[in-house]
Amino acid sequence: MRIAICDDERHFLDDFTVIMDRLYKSLDIIIDKFTDGASLLKAYDNVPYDIVFLDIEMPGMDGIYLANILRGKSEDVFIVFLTSHIEYALKGYEVNALRYLTKPATELAVREVIDYVLKKQNNMKSLWLKTSDGDQKILINHIIFLEAQDQKVIINTINGKIEIRSKLNDFESRLKNDGFFRIHRSYLVSLSKVMAFVGRDITMSDGTVLPVGRTKENEFKAALMSYVGREAF
């Protein structure tokens, strides 16, 4: 995920970065900071952002004007306004802003925004798989767990199983930022589909019970608690 924050107050940019590092240090999130709208627009033309945080009250090009230009470039970018004056809220509807954050932005408010966008992106993400029946597309949030068997990978989904010739390591790399964890050399699971964890066994949403490797136990617990914590907001 790529995030841009544009604010003419440098201390606010620094504070925002500290919050993001504390909340999402382990995720693949890139943050670019800008003190004026012209610099942001130039960067956006080269690498579009997923979320743009905009201070409304900036000298020269203000946040509302900047948001209109960004919306003209993309209907998909999430725009979040930063302001001390809630009376600007009506203007946000004109550019389909996701929400307003009052300054200084709290850690809770930032977390709610990022987690919302992450969920939206995860729900829409998909994989193309080369199967014996041809190329097949599946939604990532439909995957329950993946199992390595010889030279094959069995993908267990909410709609059934898909068998392909591949290595589990390849999927671990592809899904590392999508809420998946390698609990065992033979299993890669979706943390969102873990229903129970007793001893070193976990129960998945389809009722399958899987073992957590002894060397993976503590790391898995930490990953699961971190995931559950984010989902709670």
Side-chain angles (χ1 to χ4, degrees):
M1 176 188 289
R2 295 188 66 95
I3 298 173
I5 175 169
C6 188
D7 195 301
D8 60 316
E9 299 179 68
R10 289 189 178 276
H11 71 86
F12 182 84
L13 296 177
D14 293 338
D15 290 345
F16 182 89
T17 303
V18 169
I19 289 175
M20 289 298 297
D21 285 344
R22 185 160 54 238
L23 291 176
Y24 301 100
K25 192 172 184 178
S26 63
L27 296 184
D28 185 17
I29 295 179
I30 299 172
I31 303 172
D32 292 333
K33 298 181 288 187
F34 304 92
T35 56
D36 64 88
S39 298
L40 169 57
L41 289 176
K42 184 177 180 180
Y44 191 92
D45 286 336
N46 294 321
V47 184
Y49 292 96
D50 299 294
I51 312 175
V52 178
F53 290 84
L54 297 176
D55 182 21
I56 289 182
E57 302 163 86
M58 293 187 292
M61 190 184 304
D62 66 36
I64 298 294
Y65 183 80
L66 181 56
N68 274 284
I69 297 177
L70 289 172
R71 184 56 73 212
K73 294 176 179 292
S74 172
E75 288 294 324
D76 298 323
V77 60
F78 290 93
I79 296 174
V80 179
F81 284 122
L82 305 165
T83 183
S84 302
H85 303 286
I86 199 62
E87 61 266 23
Y88 286 110
L90 289 177
K91 288 288 185 180
Y93 291 112
E94 298 175 6
V95 294
N96 192 26
L98 175 59
R99 66 173 293 181
Y100 279 76
L101 299 185
T102 56
K103 297 175 67 177
T106 66
E107 185 171 304
L108 174 60
V110 172
R111 183 175 188 170
E112 287 176 343
V113 169
I114 304 300
D115 284 356
Y116 173 83
V117 175
L118 284 172
K119 288 177 185 178
K120 293 284 285 187
Q121 290 183 333
N122 285 338
N123 287 340
M124 297 171 62
K125 280 187 177 181
S126 59
L127 290 177
W128 279 99
L129 306 172
K130 290 186 177 298
T131 72
S132 57
D133 297 321
D135 291 348
Q136 184 173 343
K137 180 181 179 180
I138 62 170
L139 292 176
I140 289 177
N141 70 331
H142 283 184
I143 299 174
I144 302 171
F145 69 96
L146 301 92
E147 178 182 1
Q149 287 187 7
D150 299 323
Q151 301 300 313
K152 301 176 294 184
V153 171
I154 310 300
I155 304 173
N156 294 266
T157 79
I158 61 176
N159 298 313
K161 297 184 178 183
I162 301 171
E163 181 179 308
I164 63 171
R165 292 188 64 83
S166 186
K167 296 180 180 179
L168 199 57
N169 287 346
D170 296 335
F171 283 99
E172 184 178 12
S173 176
R174 294 170 71 180
L175 298 171
K176 66 179 181 179
N177 296 316
D178 297 307
F180 283 76
F181 187 88
R182 184 81 171 262
I183 62 168
H184 184 280
R185 61 186 177 84
S186 298
Y187 301 108
L188 178 67
V189 305
S190 170
L191 294 174
S192 68
K193 303 297 191 297
V194 176
M195 298 292 105
F197 182 23
V198 180
R200 287 198 293 110
D201 290 333
I202 62 174
T203 302
M204 304 305 294
S205 60
D206 65 347
T208 303
V209 178
L210 301 173
V212 177
R214 188 179 303 278
T215 61
K216 294 282 190 176
E217 185 176 1
N218 291 336
E219 189 180 352
F220 170 70
K221 287 180 180 178
L224 183 61
M225 291 305 102
S226 176
Y227 180 84
V228 170
R230 291 199 302 272
E231 291 292 296
F233 285 87

